[in-house]
Structure formats: C-alpha cells, structure tokens
Amino acid sequence: MASVLSTVAPQFDDAEQQRAAATLGMWIFLATEILFFGVLFAAYTLTRVRHPEAFAAGSRLTHVTLASLNTGVLLTSSLTMALAGHAARTGARRALVAWLGLTVALGAGFLAIKGIEYRLDFTEHLVPALNFAYAGPRADQVELFFFVYFLVTGVHALHVFIGVAAIAAIAVMASRRAFTPAYFTPVEVTGLYWHLVDIVWLFVYPLLYLVSRA
Amino acid sequence: MTGPRNDVLVWLALLALLLLTLGSAYVPLGRFNTTLHLAIAATQAALVLLFSMHLRTAHPLLRAVAAVGFFGIAILIALSLADVMTR
C-alpha cells in the first residue's frame, strides 16, 4: 500500500479522484487541440469551396501511396498504444515497455515516411514560396492548396513528434518501475493524446490526398 | 472495461475503412466522393473515441468535454460557409 499512497498528491482524497482529475484535465486540453485543428480545417474548407478545381488538381499531385501507408502505420501505432494501456492495467511491466517502444518506433516511422514525402514534394517543385512551379492552369490557386497542405501536415507532424517524445519518456519511466496497476495515469493520458493525433490524421488523409482521384 | 481483443477488432475495422475510403476515391461519384470520405472518417473517429479513448464507458462529464470541441468546429465551419456561400 505504501507505493500507492506515495503516488497520491496531497490535494486528492484518493488515487481514483486523482486519476479522474488528470483524465478530465487531459480531455479539456484535447478539446482545445480539436478547436486548434478545427481552425485549420475551416481554412481548408473555405479555400476549397472558393477554388474547387485547383484543390482537385493539387490533390492529384500529392503522394497517395505513401500517405495511405502512413495512415496504416498511425492506426497500428494506436493499437500498440491501447495494448500498452492493458499491460499497464495488469501490471505487465515488460509488455508495457515493449508496446510503448513499438509505438515510438511506429510514430518515428510515420515521421520518416512523411519526410520522404516532403523530399519528393521538394524535388517536384511543390513547395510554396520556396520552389513552387506548376505549368497547368490556376497555378496560384494550386500553390494555395500546397500552402494548406504543408500547414496542416506540418502542424500534424509536429504533434506526432511531441507524441513520440512523450511516449518515449513514459517508456523510460515504465522501465524504471514508475507504474503499478494502482497508478498508471501517465500511460493513460499520453494514450489519449496519441489517439487524438490519430483522429486528426483520419480527416487530413482523405481531405488532402483523395480529393479528385477518380 | 474492454479487453485487448476489442482493440484488435477496432484496429481491423479501422484498416478496412481505410481501404474502403481509398478504394472509393477511384470510383467516380461526383460530389459524393467527398461525402463518403467524410462519413468514413467520422466513423473511424467515432471508433477511436468510443473504444480506444474509452468514451463508451467514460463519465458523462468527459463525453461532454469531448463533444464541446467537435461542436465548436461544427459551428465554426457552418457559420463561415453560411457567410462565404451566400455572398
């Protein structure tokens, strides 16, 4: 019991109340994140409504194979994070560290694939303001699509990077026996953040890569 | 409380929906392509929210907080479009 008592901060009655407070705090933060990405989706929507042809043309230039693969990678990383939660709940320390490590690897894999994609975008002269060149009609508006593309995917990739760093820190804590079946809130709230980053991508993927493929 | 089995099932459903949304992009459906993409993305998001993020069994307060964010986006986009599309 000593280890349980030592993990409850003085302002809480018990571990359960502390856990509920932490989860509520995380959800409030996630609601602000949803609004933050919401502004980007609103900007996307208004720009696409004004320039539908340019968004269709721009979307056809994105790398749909890499993006689809990346969606699979991110969905799988959400599964390994959920399995880490089960391992934490049952006190399986080695499994917890392994699942967290796998999640970090998959998150890093997502960023690596995204990097390959950005490199291709650069060599194909699709980076606005830097080297953008487009021979077809409505070049300015296609450039606008790629501005939105880099803004949205860039901000999302930053969130993935932060998530990878956070999960790596949790993995180190787990390997140092920081968590017990009675106290694993950091694993749980980090998982919530990771799943939300996953949800954002589930909308980014069709809206940027699949606009006009038929 | 859900078991690991549930998480694997959710993962399989999410991957199946990924293939569905990707495949549907190559079928000419006009404006319904986008409708379908958004419907599939919303279904995937619901699966993650309810199962992976435990909202299915969460305290109503948490569900309300989660809903606030999405409700905010809905108002933001709907009212912005109401302006732009009626000019």
Side-chain angles (χ1 to χ4, degrees):
Chain A
M1 277 310 283
S3 68
V4 177
L5 287 175
S6 66
T7 53
V8 177
Q11 69 268 33
F12 296 110
D13 291 340
D14 51 34
E16 180 53 32
Q17 191 192 41
Q18 175 171 268
R19 197 188 65 80
T23 312
L24 176 61
M26 192 62 192
W27 268 108
I28 291 171
F29 169 66
L30 294 185
T32 69
E33 287 278 82
I34 292 167
L35 287 171
F36 171 77
F37 278 103
V39 177
L40 297 179
F41 283 113
Y44 167 93
T45 306
L46 297 194
T47 320
R48 178 169 165 183
V49 164
R50 282 194 70 181
H51 311 295
E53 300 91 351
F55 266 54
S59 178
R60 278 194 291 270
L61 296 175
T62 58
H63 302 94
V64 69
T65 310
L66 287 173
S68 306
L69 177 67
N70 241 355
T71 311
V73 169
L74 211 53
L75 288 176
T76 307
S77 78
S78 248
L79 171 67
T80 56
M81 192 68 211
L83 294 175
H86 290 298
R89 208 166 292 129
T90 53
R93 188 176 59 88
R94 283 173 186 278
L96 172 60
V97 174
W99 287 125
L100 290 173
L102 198 53
T103 310
V104 167
L106 287 165
F110 176 91
L111 290 173
I113 293 170
K114 200 84 205 89
I116 293 169
E117 214 187 310
Y118 279 162
R119 199 188 143 74
L120 283 173
D121 294 331
F122 183 80
T123 55
E124 290 165 14
H125 299 280
L126 296 175
V127 188
L130 200 60
N131 72 352
F132 192 82
Y134 180 70
R138 305 185 187 85
D140 286 352
Q141 296 163 11
V142 175
E143 186 170 3
L144 197 54
F145 168 83
F146 275 98
F147 178 75
V148 173
Y149 162 86
F150 278 103
L151 182 65
V152 173
T153 58
V155 169
H156 178 266
L158 177 66
H159 278 76
V160 173
F161 180 78
I162 293 168
V164 166
I167 296 166
I170 295 291
V172 171
M173 287 169 72
S175 71
R176 290 178 184 167
R177 300 169 197 276
F179 308 120
T180 66
Y183 175 73
F184 56 93
T185 310
V187 179
E188 215 162 49
V189 295
T190 311
L192 288 176
Y193 176 82
W194 190 248
H195 293 309
L196 188 89
V197 172
D198 193 20
I199 288 177
V200 171
W201 181 260
L202 288 172
F203 285 94
V204 169
Y205 166 67
L207 290 176
L208 289 179
Y209 295 89
L210 304 179
V211 173
S212 179
R213 294 279 169 187
Chain B
M1 194 144 296
T2 57
R5 203 183 117 85
N6 257 353
D7 287 309
V8 173
L9 291 176
V10 166
W11 174 66
L12 290 174
L14 289 170
L15 288 182
L17 287 166
L18 164 63
L19 292 178
L20 186 65
T21 201
L22 174 63
S24 80
Y26 293 88
V27 182
L29 300 171
R31 64 176 56 192
F32 288 105
N33 277 117
T34 302
T35 312
L36 197 55
H37 287 152
L38 287 174
I40 292 171
T43 309
Q44 289 177 311
L47 284 173
V48 176
L49 285 165
L50 291 175
F51 293 96
S52 313
M53 300 174 86
H54 312 300
L55 280 186
R56 197 173 58 106
T57 52
H59 192 280
L61 182 62
L62 291 187
R63 294 191 217 174
V65 172
V68 162
F70 291 103
F71 190 61
I73 295 188
I75 293 176
L76 177 69
I77 293 181
L79 290 186
S80 304
L81 280 177
D83 172 20
V84 171
M85 296 183 84
T86 53
R87 276 181 194 170

